[in-house]
Amino acid sequence: DNLYVTCHYDTSDRSFTTNLGLAPEKQEMCNQYYMYYPRSVSNKWGSCRTIGCSDSNYKDAMYSQLPIGPSSTESSLLKFPPSNGLGQVSGVAVSNDGSLVYVLCRRSNKFNTKTLIQSEAIFVLDASKNGAIIKSFGSNLFATPHGLYLDNWDGLWVTDTTLHQVFRLNASDGSVSLVMGEMRKPGKGPNHFNKPTDVVVSIESSSGVDLREVFVSDGYGNSRVAVFTYEGEFTREWGSFGSGPSQFSIPHNIEIDSYNRVY
């Protein structure tokens, strides 16, 4: 099978060459977390920035213009963002019935900004009304919100890589029902995280038993998966930094299937 992924970013306001990377003042990060990496002959990032450019660092890699079809017309686009801007968008979640879209953003903050985001960081969109904003919340809670996950019990989970914390909010009104980790104190063990990146919650097993275990990919610092009860009690963990069995190098996202197998 072939998987094709395209990422476009606007550099019209830049007066210098912009490469891929994490430094926002001179680079652009282009994330697609089902990713396809062309084979590199020099183990370097490509630097194609024009239509038809073929980078010699990559074999069979070329930047190309996507065809414009009905799916990309203006009428199908969400009427978003608000006038004061989203800033960096780090997560999107959709309700089970597809009617609501939750968008997590950093507003004026950047990756690793230390101060809390004073304005709302989560917007709720009505998918049936071209993305009309029906509510927003999450002000003064996050500094670098990273992962967003909506569980089957109206729990909206957010990880923060600067605060080293995991939050559970009520998806209906944004009220905070659980906070795991100690603010701004990275660490290991049952009570701390080190730049946690994502969350997933297990679903009912085939026997009808409600498991509701919370799996946290933790993350940039600890390279582990930490497991908790739904109310935040630590139960177990696995993983360490490396390339061997049960080892990770920055576990960045986490998913679970209908058989409660974790990916």
Side-chain angles (χ1 to χ4, degrees):
D1 294 335
N2 294 320
L3 176 63
Y4 295 94
V5 175
T6 293
C7 186
H8 292 267
Y9 55 86
D10 182 8
T11 60
S12 58
D13 62 340
R14 299 290 177 91
S15 59
F16 50 87
T17 299
T18 302
N19 293 292
L20 297 179
L22 292 173
E25 68 279 0
K26 61 181 179 179
Q27 298 175 321
E28 289 282 348
M29 184 169 65
C30 201
N31 287 339
Q32 298 283 354
Y33 289 118
Y34 289 95
M35 297 198 75
Y36 166 73
Y37 293 95
R39 288 173 290 176
S40 171
V41 297
S42 62
N43 293 320
K44 296 180 179 179
W45 284 100
S47 57
C48 286
R49 291 173 296 281
T50 60
I51 302 298
C53 164
S54 182
D55 195 309
S56 60
N57 289 332
Y58 289 86
K59 180 178 177 62
D60 302 326
M62 180 175 287
Y63 183 95
S64 60
Q65 181 72 51
L66 282 181
I68 298 177
S71 63
S72 61
T73 60
E74 177 64 24
S75 61
S76 67
L77 296 178
L78 299 178
K79 305 305 181 184
F80 202 61
S83 58
N84 54 351
L86 294 177
Q88 298 176 349
V89 175
S90 62
V92 174
V94 181
S95 60
N96 285 334
D97 62 3
S99 63
L100 299 177
V101 179
Y102 298 81
V103 178
L104 178 66
C105 57
R106 295 173 182 156
R107 306 305 295 270
S108 60
N109 279 18
K110 305 297 183 182
F111 191 78
N112 284 338
T113 300
K114 304 301 181 184
T115 57
L116 295 182
I117 302 170
Q118 296 183 2
S119 51
E120 295 89 348
I122 298 175
F123 291 87
V124 186
L125 285 60
D126 187 335
S128 67
K129 298 179 179 178
N130 272 4
I133 300 172
I134 59 175
K135 66 182 71 174
S136 59
F137 45 77
S139 59
N140 292 303
L141 281 179
F142 317 117
T144 309
H146 192 281
L148 181 68
Y149 176 78
L150 178 63
D151 67 31
N152 290 338
W153 296 271
D154 206 32
L156 192 62
W157 297 82
V158 178
T159 63
D160 194 302
T161 56
T162 291
L163 301 183
H164 308 288
Q165 289 181 302
V166 176
F167 299 80
R168 187 182 73 210
L169 284 68
N170 187 307
S172 299
D173 59 15
S175 59
V176 178
S177 56
L178 179 69
V179 180
M180 298 191 296
E182 191 171 357
M183 180 182 286
R184 302 187 188 277
K185 293 189 177 181
K188 298 181 179 180
N191 301 314
H192 293 87
F193 302 103
N194 194 336
K195 297 184 181 295
T197 54
D198 202 13
V199 173
V200 72
V201 180
S202 60
I203 59 177
E204 288 186 349
S205 70
S206 57
S207 62
V209 177
D210 182 1
L211 297 177
R212 288 211 292 185
E213 286 191 309
V214 179
F215 296 80
V216 179
S217 53
D218 180 36
Y220 285 95
N222 286 332
S223 293
R224 66 168 180 167
V225 173
V227 188
F228 302 83
T229 67
Y230 196 74
E231 297 306 323
E233 180 181 349
F234 178 83
T235 62
R236 63 193 185 278
E237 67 177 41
W238 73 84
S240 60
F241 181 79
S243 58
S246 296
Q247 290 186 316
F248 306 104
S249 175
I250 310 179
H252 204 274
N253 289 80
I254 190 165
E255 281 295 341
I256 194 167
D257 65 17
S258 58
Y259 298 97
N260 285 327
R261 293 178 295 203
V262 179
Y263 298 84

